[in-house]
Amino acid sequence: MWQVSGAHGAIDPVRAVDAMLAYHDAGFFTWDLADHYGPAEDLIGDFRRRFAASRGAERLSEIQAFTKWVPYPGRMTRRTVEDAISVSRRRMGVDRLDLLQFHWWDYSDRGYLDALRHLADLREEGQIRHLALTNFDTERLRIIADDGIRVVSNQVQYSLIDRRPDARMAAFCGDHKITLLAYGTLLGGLLSEKYFGRPEPQRSELNTASLQKYKNMIDA
Ligand SMILES: NC(=O)c1ccc[n+]([C@@H]2O[C@H](COP(=O)([O-])OP(=O)(O)OC[C@H]3O[C@@H](n4cnc5c(N)ncnc54)[C@H](OP(=O)(O)O)[C@@H]3O)[C@@H](O)[C@H]2O)c1
């Protein structure tokens, strides 16, 4: 749901939820969002309410939605962590997050371990079903595992162009039963028929945050 964040054009919330209902009917049951993807968490809340009204509350269990928590660096107290998770639960209209992906900006600040310990406690208490990471490197995956914190997955960029996870992360994750959840697999559409056999796109044609970001990846 990064594509509703605002960086890919304006989103009409009513039409967005119409589309989400149609996607569900077509068999797409799982939604990938984040606390900072604009209205994404609120759209899940609206979607669930309209889904329950039109298809019955008993079918809400068909829907899975996972979000990310990407905090500003700072002290990670139980209160800070629980408040952030409560905001996502309230916006999405769920008692328990199906999966929470945690990201941390600054490895020199070991506060990420405090945050993860509190998140693991919230998981034990039922506020989170599965705890996961996004954009962590292998060195930090090892520190987290050595600390006894269990995570189910790490979401990282992985494509024909960007194969960094092959170097060390894939083997580490295989050994530790951590699933790699890839993003950027189509480079936002740059790896598609649309650009096949065409000259390199000009910067002015790259009119979304994704196309700009993934063009930088190709150049790198
Ligand atoms: N954890 C993270 O840091 C992170 C980072 C980025 C993304 N994500 C998650 O991953 C999700 C997917 O994003 P992504 O960046 O990974 O996207 P992606 O899979 O690299 O690209 C998807 C885009 O490719 C285009 N596309 C797909 N098939 C196509 C075709 N046959 N021809 C032309 N274009 C085609 C579509 O763009 P159009 O709709 O514009 O046509 C589509 O939105 C996001 O919504 C977000 O939830 C997570």
Side-chain angles (χ1 to χ4, degrees), residues 5-23:
S5 65
H8 298 70
I11 296 293
D12 172 342
V14 175
R15 284 185 54 213
V17 174
D18 291 343
M20 293 170 80
L21 291 164
Y23 272 117

Side-chain angles (χ1 to χ4, degrees), residues 77-124:
T77 63
R78 159 84 189 208
R79 182 70 184 272
T80 306
V81 177
E82 186 164 14
D83 283 355
I85 297 312
S86 298
V87 170
S88 292
R89 286 167 50 222
R90 193 169 57 245
R91 291 179 71 195
M92 294 167 66
V94 295
D95 294 330
R96 180 179 71 166
L97 300 177
D98 291 320
L99 180 143
L100 187 272
Q101 297 174 319
F102 173 69
H103 176 67
W104 191 251
W105 294 107
D106 177 10
Y107 292 140
S108 69
D109 174 353
R110 303 254 301 187
Y112 65 90
L113 288 172
D114 297 325
L116 281 166
R117 286 181 201 122
H118 294 308
L119 289 169
D121 288 344
L122 294 177
R123 176 181 59 196
E124 299 318 310

Side-chain angles (χ1 to χ4, degrees), residues 51-210:
F51 184 95
S54 58
R55 285 134 168 95
E58 67 285 354
R59 284 186 54 194
L60 279 172
S61 60
E62 293 172 13
I63 302 170
Q64 300 192 101
F66 61 88
T67 193
K68 303 172 189 44
W69 181 40
V70 183
Y72 292 109
R75 221 160 69 80
M76 290 290 124
T77 63
R78 159 84 189 208
R79 182 70 184 272
T80 306
V81 177
E82 186 164 14
D83 283 355
I85 297 312
S86 298
V87 170
S88 292
R89 286 167 50 222
R90 193 169 57 245
R91 291 179 71 195
M92 294 167 66
V94 295
D95 294 330
R96 180 179 71 166
L97 300 177
D98 291 320
L99 180 143
L100 187 272
Q101 297 174 319
F102 173 69
H103 176 67
W104 191 251
W105 294 107
D106 177 10
Y107 292 140
S108 69
D109 174 353
R110 303 254 301 187
Y112 65 90
L113 288 172
D114 297 325
L116 281 166
R117 286 181 201 122
H118 294 308
L119 289 169
D121 288 344
L122 294 177
R123 176 181 59 196
E124 299 318 310
E125 293 163 23
Q127 295 190 36
I128 297 169
R129 181 164 179 219
H130 295 295
L131 181 56
L133 304 168
T134 178
N135 295 315
F136 269 76
D137 67 4
T138 309
E139 187 182 336
R140 260 43 66 156
L141 290 182
R142 186 180 300 283
I143 290 172
I144 290 164
D146 289 348
D147 206 65
I149 299 165
R150 191 167 42 83
V151 295
V152 293
S153 59
N154 187 30
Q155 189 176 32
V156 290
Q157 185 171 181
Y158 185 66
S159 68
L160 286 171
I161 299 290
D162 180 2
R163 298 186 177 197
R164 286 174 293 173
D166 282 342
R168 293 196 299 155
M169 187 175 288
F172 179 86
C173 288
D175 290 346
H176 289 79
K177 298 198 168 25
I178 298 170
T179 299
L180 280 176
L181 188 56
Y183 69 81
T185 45
L186 296 174
L187 296 171
L190 291 169
L191 278 183
S192 71
E193 308 87 332
K194 190 172 168 195
Y195 292 91
F196 191 65
R198 279 188 40 198
E200 183 174 348
Q202 301 296 309
R203 280 276 151 191
S204 56
E205 293 172 55
L206 304 176
N207 56 2
T208 68
S210 288

